């Protein structure tokens, strides 16, 4: 019944097109977002073309494409602890309405860019514009078109997840209805009493008492399991250059094995790194014509996890888990959580004028939170990095991280370093470079040369981190083309990391023994402390939600 329901869904809703004038024609725009084996019939998005300009519309060259934001209807309240089918169904319906609206916006953006490209290439326009002007206009349009296509891919992921949740909700509703029917046949139903005002007051008091932090922040003992809330983010897991047409990249994320590879169309996919047949690791096999082949019995899977070939036996429909996966800014991103993916991904590109010189991936035996807090702390540099970049640095009388209240970015005083944390696990930093052993100015704007860094700390397991590092410079771009320069950058990066790692590993050992790694925070711990509080708030919110179910 779930597959029948999904295949009949038509995202076009009359309520979203209310207010339009009589239509001259109704073209159909098909987004083949679900040709991944899970949904055989693509969702259909219809646009109504009218003669006039109604309210809340956006113009295209062929008429008015209505993209009115879906009206928000508040779901009906739940009936105490009883399972309210109408409430659950309304929540899923609202998700689909939003995805419908977002998909229309994305299609309109691509249509508008197409019209602009046609206008630029118009013979009359070419006669009046120089070749250089046309080239710049086409480059700008190409960039905008790439961004629009990326937004379409995001919408595809969101719609696919909404339909998956809709199917799960349908199965849950059927189970509940079946249970209620069985209870009705066996005897009268017993209904749990609604909580009284006193029960609500007592529950709120317990939550406030639990969330109230007493004394210093306590981070000690064994590393806890990962909450569902911390999974519901976009995570960069590899550099695009490391995934070619025939390569696979295995990795672990939140203690689960995954593998990424490119499909026949060149788009990247992320599937469970275990064959549905005998749980053999798929990364030990090969990629054939856009499918990953298990080395054990030759079963092949596409990027959506659906089995495409099953040699030497009768074919049956099986699949393995697949995660929403996108490619942007030279990085491959996944959404490992169970929620609907967010519609935006932060840009992690270096500023204009920088050239990327090195991209490194390392697997480290340290908990990702401790590594994050190390990267967000520059006060340790003249004491820890005495044989690398901070060699000869003077020890200042006072180190401060200057930032507005409650934000996660700012600059270090007196070091010429800007730093920013992007949830859930990314750190961007820009460092003013001078002669070894000297600091040139107190801010990055006072320096003539800069180093830009990206650090990504992906939580692999409770005691291991997958680190992605990208290094860029705004000077000497010719260094990128020097022979063996990659080996030099990797050597220097490993040398700096080793200076940090021996301390963080020791810190982790003490934490596991029960010592508090945040026993006495001081002023220059501001950014690392804010990260830790942010993470605890995310985990506390997830725990409160699970307790409320």
């Amino acid at each position: 019944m779930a597959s029948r329901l999904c295949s009949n869904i038509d995202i076009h809703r009359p309520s979203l097109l209310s207010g339009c004038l009589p239509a001259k024609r109704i073209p159909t725009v098909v987004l083949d977002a679900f040709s991944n084996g899970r949904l055989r019939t693509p969702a259909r998005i219809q646009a109504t073309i009218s003669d006039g300009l109604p309210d809340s519309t956006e113009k295209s060259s062929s008429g008015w494409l209505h993209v009115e934001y879906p009206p928000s209807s508040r779901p009906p309240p739940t009936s105490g602890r009883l399972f309210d089918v109408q409430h659950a169904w309304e929540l899923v319906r609202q998700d689909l309405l939003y995805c419908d609206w977002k998909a229309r916006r994305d299609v309109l953006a691509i249509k508008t860019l197409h019209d602009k490209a046609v206008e630029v290439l118009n013979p009359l326009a070419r006669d009046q514009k120089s070749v250089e002007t046309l080239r710049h206009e086409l480059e700008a349009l190409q960039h905008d078109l790439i961004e629009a296509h990326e937004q379409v891919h995001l919408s595809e992921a969101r719609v696919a997840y909404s339909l998956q949740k809709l199917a799960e909700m349908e199965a849950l509703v059927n189970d509940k209805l079946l249970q209620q029917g069985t209870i009705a046949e066996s005897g009268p139903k017993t209904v749990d009493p609604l909580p009284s005002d006193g029960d609500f007051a007592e529950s709120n008091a317990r939550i406030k008492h639990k969330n109230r932090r007493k004394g210093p922040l306590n981070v000690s003992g064994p590393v806890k399991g990962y909450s569902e809330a911390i999974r519901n983010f976009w995570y960069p897991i590899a550099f695009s250059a490391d995934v070619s047409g025939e390569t696979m990249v295995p990795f672990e994320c939140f203690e689960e094995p995954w593998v990424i590879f490119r499909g026949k169309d060149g788009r990247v996919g992320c599937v469970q790194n275990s064959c549905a047949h005998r749980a053999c690791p798929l990364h030990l096999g090969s990629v054939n014509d856009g499918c990953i082949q298990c080395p054990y019995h030759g079963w092949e899977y596409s990027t959506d996890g659906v089995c495409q070939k099953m040699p030497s036996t009768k074919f049956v429909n099986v699949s393995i888990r697949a995660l929403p996966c996108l490619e942007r800014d030279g990085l491959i991103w996944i959404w490992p959580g169970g929620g609907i993916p967010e519609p935006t991904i932060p840009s992690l590109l270096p500023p204009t004028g920088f050239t990327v010189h090195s991209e490194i991936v390392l697997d480290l035996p340290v908990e990702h939170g401790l590594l994050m807090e190390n990267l967000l702390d520059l006060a340790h540099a003249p004491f820890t990095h005495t044989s690398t970049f901070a060699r000869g640095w003077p020890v200042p009388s006072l180190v401060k991280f200057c930032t507005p209240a409650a934000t996660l970015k700012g600059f270090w005083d007196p070091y010429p370093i800007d730093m920013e944390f992007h949830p859930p696990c990314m750190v961007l930093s820009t460092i003013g470079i001078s002669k070894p052993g000297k600091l040139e100015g107190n801010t990055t704007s006072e320096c003539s040369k800069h180093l830009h860094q990206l650090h990504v700390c992906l939580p692999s397991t409770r005691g291991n981190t997958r680190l992605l590092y990208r290094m860029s410079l705004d000077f000497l771009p010719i260094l990128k083309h020097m022979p063996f320069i990659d080996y030099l950058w990797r050597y220097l990066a490993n040398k700096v990391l080793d200076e940090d790692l021996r301390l963080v590993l020791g810190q982790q050992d003490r934490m596991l023994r029960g010592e508090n790694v945040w026993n006495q925070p001081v002023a220059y711990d501001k950014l690392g402390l804010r990260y830790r509080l942010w993470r605890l708030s995310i985990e506390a919110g997830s725990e409160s939600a699970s307790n409320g179910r």
Side-chain angles (χ1 to χ4, degrees), residues 227-408:
S227 66
E228 179 63 24
I230 202 69
R231 300 169 186 257
N232 284 323
F233 289 92
W234 285 106
Y235 283 86
I237 46 91
F239 292 108
S240 298
D242 294 336
V243 187
S244 63
E246 298 180 355
T247 60
M248 297 166 286
V249 177
F251 66 97
E252 285 190 276
C253 181
F254 295 112
E255 302 185 309
E256 292 183 316
W258 303 94
V259 60
I260 54 176
F261 64 102
R262 293 191 182 275
K264 192 173 183 179
D265 57 357
R267 292 175 59 180
V268 71
C270 178
V271 299
Q272 176 185 342
N273 193 10
S274 296
C275 181
H277 179 210
R278 299 285 298 278
C280 179
L282 293 175
H283 78 275
L284 301 178
S286 59
V287 177
N288 298 326
D289 197 24
C291 290
I292 188 169
Q293 185 184 70
C294 178
Y296 209 173
H297 297 92
W299 291 21
E300 295 186 9
Y301 303 89
S302 52
T303 53
D304 56 8
V306 177
C307 185
Q308 304 294 336
K309 290 184 180 179
M310 197 177 292
S312 306
T313 187
K314 182 180 178 180
F315 183 84
V316 293
N317 292 323
V318 297
S319 61
I320 56 179
R321 292 175 59 198
L323 297 178
C325 187
L326 294 173
E327 193 169 4
R328 175 171 294 184
D329 297 341
L331 289 163
I332 296 172
W333 303 69
I334 63 169
W335 181 276
I340 297 177
E342 292 293 332
T344 57
I345 292 179
S347 176
L348 302 180
L349 287 174
T352 304
F354 282 78
T355 301
V356 176
H357 285 264
S358 182
E359 294 179 335
I360 301 172
V361 180
L362 299 169
D363 292 308
L364 305 175
V366 63
E367 197 269 330
H368 86 283
L370 293 178
L371 188 59
M372 283 290 305
E373 291 162 355
N374 171 265
L375 295 171
L376 296 172
D377 171 22
L378 258 296
H380 72 278
F383 304 97
T384 304
H385 300 288
T386 53
S387 62
T388 54
F389 69 91
R391 183 177 182 179
W393 279 19
V395 178
S397 58
L398 181 64
V399 176
K400 297 184 297 182
F401 184 73
C402 303
T403 175
T407 61
L408 295 170

Side-chain angles (χ1 to χ4, degrees), residues 28-257:
T28 298
V29 183
V30 176
L31 291 183
D32 192 11
F34 315 116
S35 58
N36 56 5
R38 297 176 185 169
L39 185 61
R40 297 299 180 184
T41 303
R44 186 176 63 206
I45 300 174
Q46 293 185 348
T48 300
I49 307 299
S50 64
D51 293 322
L53 175 60
D55 294 336
S56 304
T57 56
E58 296 189 17
K59 185 175 181 179
S60 67
S61 61
S62 58
W64 301 102
L65 181 61
H66 194 76
V67 290
E68 177 181 313
Y69 191 84
S72 60
S73 59
R74 188 173 183 179
T78 57
S79 304
R81 301 178 184 174
L82 292 178
F83 180 84
D84 195 319
V85 175
Q86 184 179 2
H87 175 75
W89 194 265
E90 181 66 19
L91 290 177
V92 176
R93 191 182 72 85
Q94 289 298 320
D95 284 340
L96 286 174
L97 284 176
Y98 174 79
C99 292
D100 171 29
W101 172 79
K102 190 68 174 64
R104 296 190 200 190
R105 297 276 302 196
D106 296 338
V107 172
L108 175 60
I110 293 178
K111 178 67 171 62
T112 303
L113 291 171
H114 173 267
D115 294 341
K116 289 183 179 179
V118 172
E119 180 183 351
V120 170
L121 295 174
N122 187 292
L124 296 178
R126 288 203 305 267
D127 295 340
Q128 300 177 3
K129 297 181 181 179
S130 65
V131 174
E132 187 68 17
T133 301
L134 289 173
R135 186 177 68 84
H136 286 305
E137 290 181 356
L138 287 175
E139 288 178 351
L141 287 173
Q142 184 180 16
H143 179 267
D144 292 341
L145 187 60
I146 291 174
E147 290 187 347
H149 275 289
E150 289 175 347
Q151 288 299 323
V152 169
H153 296 160
L154 279 169
S155 294
E156 289 177 0
R158 290 176 59 85
V159 173
Y161 249 60
S162 292
L163 292 175
Q164 178 184 347
K165 293 298 181 184
L166 187 62
E168 294 174 358
M169 188 62 64
E170 182 191 17
L172 185 61
V173 168
N174 290 336
D175 291 342
K176 285 292 180 180
L177 292 176
L178 182 61
Q179 293 176 9
Q180 291 176 3
T182 304
I183 294 174
E185 293 176 1
S186 60
K189 293 189 294 183
T190 59
V191 180
D192 294 335
L194 293 176
S196 64
D197 294 339
D199 293 334
F200 280 119
E202 182 180 354
S203 176
N204 291 334
R206 285 199 304 268
I207 294 174
K208 291 180 180 179
H209 177 74
K210 186 174 182 179
N211 293 340
R212 187 183 297 118
R213 184 165 59 90
K214 297 180 179 180
L217 180 65
N218 187 7
V219 180
S220 61
V223 180
K224 298 180 181 179
Y226 299 107
S227 66
E228 179 63 24
I230 202 69
R231 300 169 186 257
N232 284 323
F233 289 92
W234 285 106
Y235 283 86
I237 46 91
F239 292 108
S240 298
D242 294 336
V243 187
S244 63
E246 298 180 355
T247 60
M248 297 166 286
V249 177
F251 66 97
E252 285 190 276
C253 181
F254 295 112
E255 302 185 309
E256 292 183 316

